[in-house]
Amino acid sequence: MTAELEPQICNGGVPQIAGGDSGGIFLPIGGNWERQWGQEVQAVLIFLGLMYCFAGVAFIADVFMEAIEKITSKKVRVREGDHFRTYNVWNPTVANLTLMALGSSAPEILLSVIELISNGMHSGELGPSTIVGSAAFNLHVIIAVCVVCIPAGEVRSIKELPVFMITASFSVFAYLWLVFILLVTSPHVVEWWEGLMTFLFFPALIWFAYAADAGILRRNRRRSSSKLVLTRDSTPQEKAQMVMEIRRKYGEGENVSDFIQDLIHYEFDPRPSRAQRRMQATRDMFGGKPLPFAAVKTQESVGAAVPGVKALVQIAHNQTVPWDDPVPCCVEHRCIFYMVHESDRKVDCVITRTGDLSRPCRVHVKTVDGTAKAGSDYVAIDSDITFDRHEASKTVSIVIVEDTEYEETENFQLHLSVPPDSRSAVGLARERGDAPGADVASILIFDNNHPGVFGFKDYDISVRESCDATTPLAVEVHRSSGSYGKVSCRYRTEDMTATEKIDYEPISGTLEFDHGEAVKTLKLQILPKIHRDKTEQFRLIISDATGKAKFDDSVDGSSTSCICTITIQRDQEARTWLGRLADLQPLNADHFALGKVSWREQFLELRMGDEPAGFVDHALHLALFPWKLMCACVPPPIFCGGWVCFAAALVVIGVLTAVIGDLAEMLGCALLPMLPPQSARSITAVTIVALGTSLPDTFASMKSASQDPTADASIGNVTGSNSVNVFLGLGLPWMIGAFYWRVRGVDVNDPSDPWMVRGVEAGWLNDPDMQILERYPATLVVPAGSLGTSVAVFTVTAVLTIGLLMARRLLCGGELGGQGRTKWASAGAMLALWLLYVAFCIVQVVSEGAE
């Protein structure tokens, strides 16, 4: 077969076929009249246009993310026993990997899909190269920026490590899979099953990440669920069983009851939630205090729970035992369990001696950190003590450090040993076999400076509607289990079926409790409404506690917030038949009314403020006005739970992405006229387009890294987004294209067949190395070329970057931050890997174009 069309060339910034003109979807407008301009002028204008469109994408992306936030924040109330509990409909991990990832990666994904359709269901160079280039920028540059933006000396580590390992593994596997299908199984083509598998890896990623987040993959998941847990709804029988467990573990000493309530909370309080772990995730990574649940594990591992300072729990070890060992006497802790309040200032540990007491002897005592740390929680001891003749016991006093800041219940240990030069004169009780563990005493420190637990007096409140007057409503917020220090929490209202400013007056702010203050009242206003045909509800939420205060999660809410549900009761006597119909329809008329007001306000906000503005402010306002007007035209998120805003914003992003694709092709030809359009597009996509689409994510990740106590949001979102880019951004168009050509078929004897024409234009049909026609007719062709090499190089650099993060976790205590030189060296290494990747891709593309 002879080629009737020549390969594409670049002419004046516009890709075209020799002997004819071609362009993008929208550009150039009005033909190719701009070719008469100089090459430099074209490049500058196209570049400025591209940057301007990136600004538009950033504007509409904010609206898009607002819609996603509205969708993923939906909650549902479920009855549990005698009360209701509110749950999020969307799991946070699933939301991050689906809608959130789509929100941050929509331009790259849509660019690949639009390019496929505009190319007549043929794969192009711009979309795939942008996705790989964006992934390289995200993984290397964004993480490098996050490493150095942490304040000096601070460290951020990944808390949800199982989820990160899943997303990181999938992010590397995704690109290895591309290499596999483009270079190994079916070189230069994507068969239907390969496209389908690439797309199906997306739901697989979501399931594995959800399973890791929910603990489904943990072996001991079921075993831990059977433990007694102290909640607000614990029955008297359950509490009695808890007391029995305490007595069995700590003994039957008469003074154990002094600490029985503290011990019940210590042993049976619910395990820390995900949010609590997030707040303290880095403590154990750089020498800080471990998490509270780690303390329980430490305690169980040494068999120490820890009663007793005011009351030394008398156990069997305090009785004299006949001594038959070769050494004359034996020493042991009189009590292996001690407990103390921080305000007691000290704990007295008694060491007893049995056997031959006629001679003096010497033993060694040493404190060992548990969750309590020497210096900040107690004064360490590491010294010898001497028993005089006929002396049967010694008291070791350990100073407890009292501070004004509340701390979790903590423990440490006092170890007893015999110096080498005294082993012939004295031994340990455990060595004779009848007193295991008597050489270790455990001390538990309770902090009685508890800041308190926030909760509502009533979690479900009903108020009768009024047709002619505002109805006041007072809601009490209680601070229980302690009132030490000044603490605060934030409060806000949230719509359910009731709508703010129509059914009630929204409130928000900070609620401050002084030292000793236990009750605060929030005042709400229920607005009058003549035709309230439905019973409606809204939420009052308290969250963001300060001063280490907590929230009561036993009723409705979680460890990070409490929720009070307020029901506005309709007037049954004034209820009409329209009200009965309103009960049956799912739409909320108030939402539509408020939506119209919000939509109008979006346009009113386009005006400049009343404050004086300079020339620069006016210039920026005028320059960005088209994008502001575009965003104002998008319906607000209140309509249909945010889905209308989501769809409209996605359409706008798609249109802007198509324009960006046209400009990127033109820019590649304007900057690199000596290369074929395919090569020019690849270089532009890997560098300028990838950087432009990733800049909003860079600033968002910087903010998350500096404000969030962990590195999950900044690092986990990068690996998750990179995986989604491949599985959606490449899997979706490749699956569509592969199925399209498989169903449509190709007539290889017809030179005018679109598949044949594309093969001649792109140069792959008669390439002797690719052998497309002989091996894979009627298939989506994706020439591996520079893309395959780009993916292979990126995979290597990605493994090195993830390895560097893991090394930082071990050596620096966290993936982000650290000492100045260390973090700058790490960031420099990541940036160097990105530059190496970009340089290698450019060299590869240029060498292929020269051939």
Side-chain angles (χ1 to χ4, degrees):
M1 169 182 164
T2 60
E4 298 182 358
L5 294 173
E6 299 177 15
Q8 279 188 316
I9 61 173
C10 277
N11 183 5
V14 180
Q16 68 169 34
I17 308 299
D21 295 336
S22 69
I25 299 176
F26 297 109
L27 301 176
I29 299 176
N32 297 322
W33 51 270
E34 72 280 0
R35 292 180 185 171
Q36 57 187 339
W37 298 344
Q39 197 79 16
E40 295 79 7
V41 176
Q42 292 183 55
V44 171
L45 292 178
I46 296 171
F47 177 79
L48 292 177
L50 191 61
M51 295 300 104
Y52 190 66
C53 287
F54 284 145
V57 170
F59 268 81
I60 193 62
D62 287 341
V63 178
F64 192 49
M65 293 301 294
E66 187 178 356
I68 292 174
E69 180 66 25
K70 178 69 175 179
I71 293 170
T72 57
S73 63
K74 184 177 180 181
K75 299 180 178 68
V76 62
R77 295 185 81 212
V78 179
R79 177 175 287 279
E80 294 185 356
D82 59 350
H83 62 268
F84 286 90
R85 183 176 289 273
T86 304
Y87 292 98
N88 287 319
V89 175
W90 285 80
N91 175 271
T93 298
V94 175
N96 286 337
L97 290 177
T98 52
L99 294 182
M100 291 295 182
L102 179 61
S104 61
S105 303
E108 296 97 318
I109 297 172
L110 290 177
L111 183 62
S112 187
V113 175
I114 292 172
E115 186 180 37
L116 176 82
I117 298 173
S118 64
N119 284 345
M121 305 306 290
H122 294 283
S123 178
E125 297 82 14
L126 193 61
S129 296
T130 298
I131 286 177
V132 180
S134 178
F137 184 88
N138 292 346
L139 188 62
H140 301 112
V141 179
I142 291 183
I143 293 182
V145 171
C146 292
V147 169
V148 298
C149 75
I150 304 299
E154 294 186 16
V155 180
R156 304 281 194 275
S157 65
I158 296 173
K159 178 61 190 78
E160 300 295 342
L161 193 59
V163 177
F164 167 74
M165 295 305 297
I166 294 292
T167 57
S169 300
F170 267 86
S171 68
V172 175
F173 165 76
Y175 293 92
L176 288 175
W177 171 255
L178 293 186
V179 174
F180 180 71
I181 63 177
L182 292 180
L183 298 176
V184 180
T185 59
S186 55
H188 310 293
V189 301
V190 175
E191 299 187 73
W192 69 269
W193 66 269
E194 293 173 334
L196 179 62
M197 287 294 296
T198 305
F199 179 76
L200 290 180
F201 284 134
F202 174 59
L205 165 65
I206 295 174
W207 187 89
F208 276 106
Y210 169 76
D213 178 65
I216 296 175
L217 302 179
R218 299 171 191 163
R219 292 187 202 172
N220 59 350
R221 180 173 59 94
R222 294 182 179 177
R223 188 170 46 215
S224 61
S225 63
S226 60
K227 187 178 185 296
L228 283 171
V229 177
L230 180 64
T231 68
R232 182 171 177 167
D233 300 322
S234 294
T235 64
Q237 293 79 8
E238 290 174 333
K239 292 180 180 179
Q241 188 175 353
M242 294 175 192
V243 173
M244 291 176 60
E245 291 290 331
I246 293 296
R247 295 288 185 183
R248 181 189 61 80
K249 191 168 188 177
Y250 293 102
E252 295 291 341
E254 60 181 11
N255 293 321
V256 172
S257 58
D258 293 344
F259 288 89
I260 195 69
Q261 292 297 329
D262 292 321
L263 288 171
I264 288 176
H265 281 284
Y266 178 66
E267 290 288 336
F268 301 106
D269 267 346
R271 291 174 61 86
S273 68
R274 176 183 177 184
Q276 287 176 314
R277 294 191 181 101
R278 180 177 300 169
M279 295 299 296
Q280 301 178 3
T282 58
R283 291 175 64 179
D284 57 344
M285 302 308 300
F286 51 96
K289 299 174 182 179
L291 294 167
F293 62 82
V296 179
K297 291 183 178 179
T298 303
Q299 163 190 313
E300 292 173 351
S301 64
V302 297
V306 210
V309 68
K310 290 181 179 177
L312 297 177
V313 181
Q314 304 297 322
I315 59 176
H317 303 172
N318 63 354
Q319 300 177 0
T320 301
V321 180
W323 185 248
D324 299 324
D325 286 351
V327 291
C329 65
C330 171
V331 293
E332 60 184 332
H333 285 290
R334 182 180 180 184
C335 175
I336 62 173
F337 302 129
Y338 293 85
M339 62 184 174
V340 60
H341 282 132
E342 191 179 87
S343 58
D344 291 335
R345 301 292 183 89
K346 72 171 184 175
V347 55
D348 294 327
C349 301
V350 179
I351 300 172
T352 60
R353 181 170 67 144
T354 56
D356 184 1
L357 308 182
S358 61
R359 290 178 293 179
C361 69
R362 183 167 53 92
V363 295
H364 187 81
V365 290
K366 179 180 180 180
T367 53
V368 177
D369 285 352
T371 55
K373 302 297 180 183
S376 60
D377 297 309
Y378 69 94
V379 178
I381 293 178
D382 187 2
S383 60
D384 292 341
I385 60 173
T386 301
F387 284 84
D388 295 331
R389 295 178 59 188
H390 304 295
E391 190 173 18
S393 65
K394 277 283 187 181
T395 300
V396 178
S397 296
I398 305 173
V399 176
I400 304 299
V401 178
E402 183 181 18
D403 54 35
T404 58
E405 183 179 0
Y406 174 73
E407 296 176 309
E408 300 288 345
T409 300
E410 299 167 320
N411 72 330
F412 67 98
Q413 298 171 344
L414 181 64
H415 286 232
L416 177 63
S417 62
V418 178
D421 57 356
S422 300
R423 289 177 180 170
S424 60
V426 64
L428 297 177
R430 65 175 176 81
E431 296 174 349
R432 70 190 184 195
D434 62 346
D439 59 331
V440 177
S442 295
I443 301 95
L444 184 66
I445 305 175
F446 293 107
D447 194 342
N448 46 7
N449 297 332
H450 201 295
V453 178
F454 289 132
F456 291 103
K457 177 184 179 181
D458 299 303
Y459 284 79
D460 286 278
I461 300 176
S462 295
V463 58
R464 180 70 62 180
E465 69 175 355
S466 175
C467 297
D468 53 4
T470 299
T471 304
L473 175 64
V475 180
E476 290 187 2
V477 179
H478 285 204
R479 178 188 183 189
S480 59
S481 300
S483 57
Y484 187 89
K486 186 175 181 178
V487 296
S488 66
C489 66
R490 296 192 61 82
Y491 63 88
R492 60 184 173 88
T493 52
E494 181 180 273
D495 287 355
M496 292 175 64
T497 54
T499 305
E500 64 178 36
K501 297 183 180 179
I502 294 180
D503 296 304
Y504 68 95
E505 195 66 39
I507 62 171
S508 63
T510 302
L511 201 60
E512 296 185 350
F513 288 77
D514 290 329
H515 175 71
E517 193 172 13
V519 179
K520 282 283 189 179
T521 301
L522 292 175
K523 296 182 179 180
L524 296 168
Q525 299 290 335
I526 308 301
L527 299 178
K529 196 172 182 182
I530 298 177
H531 299 293
R532 189 186 305 277
D533 291 317
K534 292 183 66 176
T535 294
E536 296 172 314
Q537 295 179 318
F538 66 97
R539 301 183 185 94
L540 176 62
I541 302 174
I542 53 174
S543 61
D544 301 325
T546 63
K548 294 190 176 181
K550 299 180 180 180
F551 291 97
D552 182 6
D553 61 353
S554 62
V555 182
D556 193 0
S558 65
S559 58
T560 59
S561 65
C562 282
I563 301 174
C564 172
T565 301
I566 301 167
T567 302
I568 307 175
Q569 296 285 354
R570 59 194 165 191
D571 189 347
Q572 295 292 339
E573 296 180 358
R575 191 185 178 204
T576 65
W577 63 273
L578 290 176
R580 297 183 179 89
L581 292 179
D583 288 339
L584 301 178
Q585 55 91 20
L587 300 179
N588 192 319
D590 291 342
H591 285 180
F592 281 91
L594 183 60
K596 290 188 293 184
V597 175
S598 300
W599 207 345
R600 179 174 176 271
E601 291 177 350
Q602 289 180 180
F603 287 95
L604 295 177
E605 291 173 357
L606 295 177
R607 300 174 301 179
M608 292 195 67
D610 297 332
E611 298 180 0
F615 173 78
V616 176
D617 295 329
H618 281 286
L620 287 176
H621 177 73
L622 291 176
L624 299 176
F625 184 80
W627 302 135
K628 296 178 180 179
L629 179 60
M630 173 191 68
C631 294
C633 293
V634 176
I638 193 170
F639 289 115
C640 299
W643 286 106
V644 174
C645 180
F646 177 90
L650 189 62
V651 171
V652 176
I653 291 176
V655 174
L656 283 178
T657 300
V659 176
I660 288 174
D662 292 350
L663 288 171
E665 290 189 9
M666 297 170 63
L667 182 63
C669 286
L671 294 176
L672 304 168
M674 74 296 296
L675 295 178
Q678 295 90 340
S679 301
R681 283 194 292 266
S682 296
I683 294 177
T684 305
V686 170
T687 54
I688 299 176
V689 180
L691 189 147
T693 56
S694 299
L695 277 180
D697 293 335
T698 304
F699 293 107
S701 296
M702 286 178 58
K703 187 175 182 180
S704 297
S706 59
Q707 295 183 356
D708 199 89
T710 70
D712 295 74
S714 50
I715 295 180
N717 288 348
V718 167
T719 55
S721 179
N722 284 357
S723 303
V724 174
N725 277 352
V726 173
F727 300 144
L728 277 185
L730 293 182
L732 182 60
W734 285 359
M735 179 183 67
I736 295 173
F739 274 101
Y740 173 83
W741 289 112
R742 180 175 179 84
V743 173
R744 182 190 182 280
V746 172
D747 185 359
V748 296
N749 297 317
D750 182 8
S752 63
D753 189 280
W755 190 84
M756 303 291 288
V757 172
R758 175 64 180 181
V760 174
E761 292 176 358
W764 47 256
L765 184 64
N766 297 318
D767 191 318
D769 296 327
M770 298 175 66
Q771 298 180 349
I772 298 297
L773 195 60
E774 292 80 3
R775 294 187 298 159
Y776 308 105
T779 312
L780 179 67
V781 179
V782 183
S786 60
L787 177 61
T789 305
S790 172
V791 169
V793 174
F794 167 73
T795 302
V796 174
T797 58
V799 171
L800 292 176
T801 298
I802 294 175
L804 177 60
L805 291 176
M806 293 297 98
R808 283 181 51 82
R809 185 180 181 90
L810 295 175
L811 300 177
C812 305
E815 290 79 5
L816 304 181
Q819 299 302 321
R821 293 183 179 179
T822 303
K823 68 179 184 181
W824 282 104
S826 302
M830 296 178 190
L831 185 61
L833 288 174
W834 178 70
L835 294 174
L836 177 65
Y837 161 78
V838 172
F840 193 93
C841 291
I842 293 175
V843 171
Q844 178 72 16
V845 171
V846 171
S847 62
E848 289 182 358
E851 294 176 359

